[in-house]
Amino acid sequence: MGLVTGTCFAETGNHVVCVDINAEKVRMMRSGKVPIYEPHLDVIFERNIRQGRLHFTTDLKEAVDHAEIIFLALPTPPGEDGSADLSYVLKAAGDIGRLLKRYTVLVDKSTVPVGTAEKVHAEVAKYAQVEFDVVSNPEFLREGFAVDDFLKPDRVVVGTSSERARKLMEDLYKPFVRQGNPIIFMDERSAELTKYAANAFLAAKITFMNEIANFCEAVGADVDKVRIGMGTDSRIGKRFLFPGIGYGGSCFPKDVQALAKSGAEAGYEFRIINSVMEVNERQKTALMPKIIDYYGGDIKGRHFALWGLAFKPDTDDIREAPALYMIEALTKAGATVTAFDPEAMGNVEKLIGDKIAYAKDEYAALQGADALIICTEWALFRTPDFGRLEQALKEKTVFDGRNLYELDEMTGHGFHYVSIGRNVVTAAHSPAHTRTANA
Ligand SMILES: NC(=O)c1ccc[n+]([C@@H]2O[C@H](COP(=O)([O-])OP(=O)(O)OC[C@H]3O[C@@H](n4cnc5c(N)ncnc54)[C@H](O)[C@@H]3O)[C@@H](O)[C@H]2O)c1
């Protein structure tokens, strides 16, 4: 988030110094390499470095010395009890406080619980000899669309009680809202909560649909029909209604948990949020009972091809990815897995090594597998060559956690097809289990 923020601010003509304690990352960026996969970031990253507006350092002093505005884009991971761990943010605040030489605005861009701006203010004030303001400016960009989202935000939320800081933030963000989208000013606490409320609402919307999908399976309805029927109501909207094997990523799980924890700390029990977490936890392995059932209660010795490791398409981020939960469940049950993901295999290999095998492309992953399991809806997987699937798989069986294919399309191709919230289909002329290996 910090790199996208810094690069996009450079793109509108600002001079930006990005600071990171990870020397390897800084070395990479200095040599002109973007350390994450994020569409379109490379182009503006290179341009702004070339034009001298974007710099990287591990030296906080070098960056603070010339800064008018300092963005804190630090990690806020879940602490042991699920609340947001503010140690990175508060440590940096203290370090910055010692270095300030003139009026500066510190901006909390990390996702932080209500009251953090006051904590950051107190931490900086312990050391600062000059005037400063602390502003809350939560970030709503989505991984995979981060650059577009940052350059053309639906809205910018700024929490501040300082007129001076408000003016600086308004000038900074004006170039991004020329189409008329609002910069919404409010108090710091409301700004902090806006981010959590937005993420929790979206996580609840996904989870609600997953429950409807599970119920569809119980009563023989088709969730994709229900989704379209619901989504055309403008009060509901078409987006975020796709059922699947749960939400993951670095934001929704941690933010939903942190909001529940903030609620508990304030003596408020968030019942909806608690249910969202519980249902999502179950949903991540919702395919498992279906797989085990299909193989008569035992998948020991079975081998599966798995498409998609990233928590969603167009990113190499695997934090809290449902695919990892599937891999854990499959291998624990005695199965083996060969996976393919266009961007995330390196990160998975770093995390779990040779617990699974990695394929060079989506078709190589299928070789000799009993069935294909789909965990992430990369566009690449949407229109596969079904003939190659048939050749490589032992059986024409697909377990799809993202509902990528039409049911009649799959029966047409002669597949046994299990998805989320829809009927299981089996081609009439090719019932499950009738094909033998290499047949
Ligand atoms: N990833 C997103 O899509 C997204 C979107 C909106 C908000 N956020 C929020 O932004 C924050 C950061 O998330 P992220 O996904 O970018 O995390 P990240 O882990 O990818 O990046 C954080 C960076 O901070 C660096 N860092 C740690 N301690 C440091 C220090 N003392 N000084 C300098 N650098 C330090 C780390 O080395 C790392 O490169 C979180 O609060 C997250 O909730 C993220």
Side-chain angles (χ1 to χ4, degrees):
M1 188 272 276
L3 179 59
V4 171
T5 301
T7 308
C8 291
F9 280 141
E11 181 70 4
T12 50
N14 298 290
H15 192 96
V16 180
V17 182
C18 299
V19 190
D20 204 293
I21 45 164
N22 184 328
E24 174 56 22
K25 267 192 196 173
V26 171
R27 193 194 55 72
M28 260 180 99
M29 293 186 284
R30 279 189 157 167
S31 68
K33 287 198 199 84
V34 181
I36 50 165
Y37 173 73
E38 184 59 50
H40 314 307
L41 182 56
D42 52 350
V43 177
I44 56 170
F45 175 86
E46 278 156 29
R47 177 165 52 229
N48 285 285
I49 293 176
R50 196 169 5 96
Q51 295 178 353
R53 287 189 299 271
L54 185 60
H55 305 269
F56 304 95
T57 182
T58 51
D59 182 4
L60 186 62
K61 184 173 182 316
E62 186 188 327
V64 171
D65 271 354
H66 304 284
E68 254 179 295
I69 308 180
I70 300 172
F71 283 85
L72 304 180
L74 293 151
T76 48
E80 265 174 33
D81 63 354
S83 62
D85 175 357
L86 288 181
S87 59
Y88 297 86
V89 171
L90 295 179
K91 165 80 171 56
D95 292 347
I96 291 166
R98 289 182 180 87
L99 295 168
L100 291 183
K101 289 197 182 126
R102 77 186 89 78
Y103 174 77
T104 311
V105 174
L106 270 81
V107 184
D108 283 339
K109 203 153 197 38
S110 300
T111 302
V112 289
V114 175
T116 302
E118 285 142 62
K119 288 184 182 162
V120 168
H121 196 282
E123 201 56 33
V124 178
K126 277 187 196 164
Y127 311 101
Q129 308 289 333
V130 294
E131 272 187 72
F132 67 93
D133 280 308
V134 176
V135 169
S136 167
N137 169 221
E139 179 51 53
F140 298 97
L141 65 79
R142 296 163 298 167
E143 285 177 37
F145 304 89
V147 172
D148 292 348
D149 283 350
F150 199 95
L151 293 176
K152 289 195 186 110
D154 287 343
R155 79 309 204 182
V156 176
V157 170
V158 177
T160 180
S161 38
S162 150
E163 261 314 305
R164 197 173 175 187
R166 177 190 166 122
K167 178 81 184 63
L168 271 175
M169 294 299 284
E170 194 171 8
D171 290 347
L172 182 66
Y173 273 112
K174 254 192 212 150
F176 299 93
V177 292
R178 296 188 60 232
Q179 286 178 345
N181 290 351
I183 303 176
I184 307 167
F185 290 97
M186 57 180 81
D187 63 279
E188 295 84 343
R189 286 181 166 246
S190 302
E192 287 162 343
L193 185 53
T194 300
K195 171 70 187 177
Y196 281 103
N199 270 3
F201 184 84
L202 292 171
K205 194 172 178 188
I206 296 172
T207 306
F208 178 83
M209 222 40 218
N210 285 338
E211 286 230 281
I212 294 292
N214 296 342
F215 184 60
C216 281
E217 288 173 16
V219 296
D222 182 331
V223 73
D224 277 345
K225 303 277 187 314
V226 176
R227 170 175 66 77
I228 292 163
M230 284 170 66
T232 38
D233 183 329
S234 60
R235 291 169 304 175
I236 295 172
K238 299 183 182 75
R239 299 168 72 186
F240 269 72
L241 288 183
F242 290 84
I245 50 171
Y247 63 78
S250 66
C251 290
F252 284 175
K254 107 177 148 52
D255 294 350
V256 169
Q257 197 183 19
L259 181 59
K261 192 70 198 162
S262 293
E265 276 164 17
Y268 185 79
E269 189 194 349
F270 267 116
R271 295 202 194 159
I272 292 181
I273 303 298
N274 286 330
S275 300
V276 166
M277 288 191 287
E278 191 191 319
V279 172
N280 192 61
E281 204 51 38
R282 234 185 312 128
Q283 196 69 16
K284 286 188 269 195
T285 50
L287 281 178
M288 280 309 288
K290 302 177 185 195
I291 296 173
I292 290 173
D293 201 38
Y294 179 75
Y295 293 105
D298 186 11
I299 58 165
K300 199 159 189 272
R302 296 277 172 186
H303 179 64
F304 295 100
L306 189 145
W307 282 2
L309 295 167
F311 84 91
K312 66 173 191 176
D314 296 315
T315 179
D316 60 355
D317 197 339
I318 57 161
R319 291 177 279 189
E320 292 294 317
L324 297 178
Y325 288 82
M326 279 300 293
I327 288 170
E328 182 60 30
L330 288 164
T331 52
K332 209 167 156 198
T336 51
V337 174
T338 298
F340 172 73
D341 186 286
E343 296 294 338
M345 289 197 292
N347 284 340
V348 171
E349 197 165 6
K350 265 187 235 154
L351 189 72
I352 62 170
D354 61 3
K355 189 167 188 165
I356 59 167
Y358 306 88
K360 72 171 185 358
D361 62 36
E362 68 274 32
Y363 295 109
L366 303 169
Q367 236 11 276
D370 285 285
L372 166 64
I373 300 172
I374 300 174
C375 290
T376 316
E377 63 277 32
W378 282 93
L380 174 70
F381 303 148
R382 286 183 192 275
T383 47
D385 178 342
F386 286 104
R388 291 182 73 180
L389 259 75
E390 177 172 1
Q391 274 166 15
L393 290 171
K394 279 191 199 162
E395 267 188 30
K396 290 165 78 173
T397 303
V398 176
F399 299 97
D400 182 356
R402 300 295 172 186
N403 289 7
L404 294 190
Y405 313 122
E406 300 294 334
L407 299 184
D408 53 2
E409 175 187 21
M410 294 308 272
T411 44
H413 288 295
F415 276 81
H416 182 77
Y417 181 56
V418 180
S419 52
I420 303 285
R422 303 186 295 180
N423 285 332
V424 174
V425 293
T426 299
H429 59 278
S430 174
H433 295 298
T434 55
R435 299 178 78 245
T436 53
N438 306 320

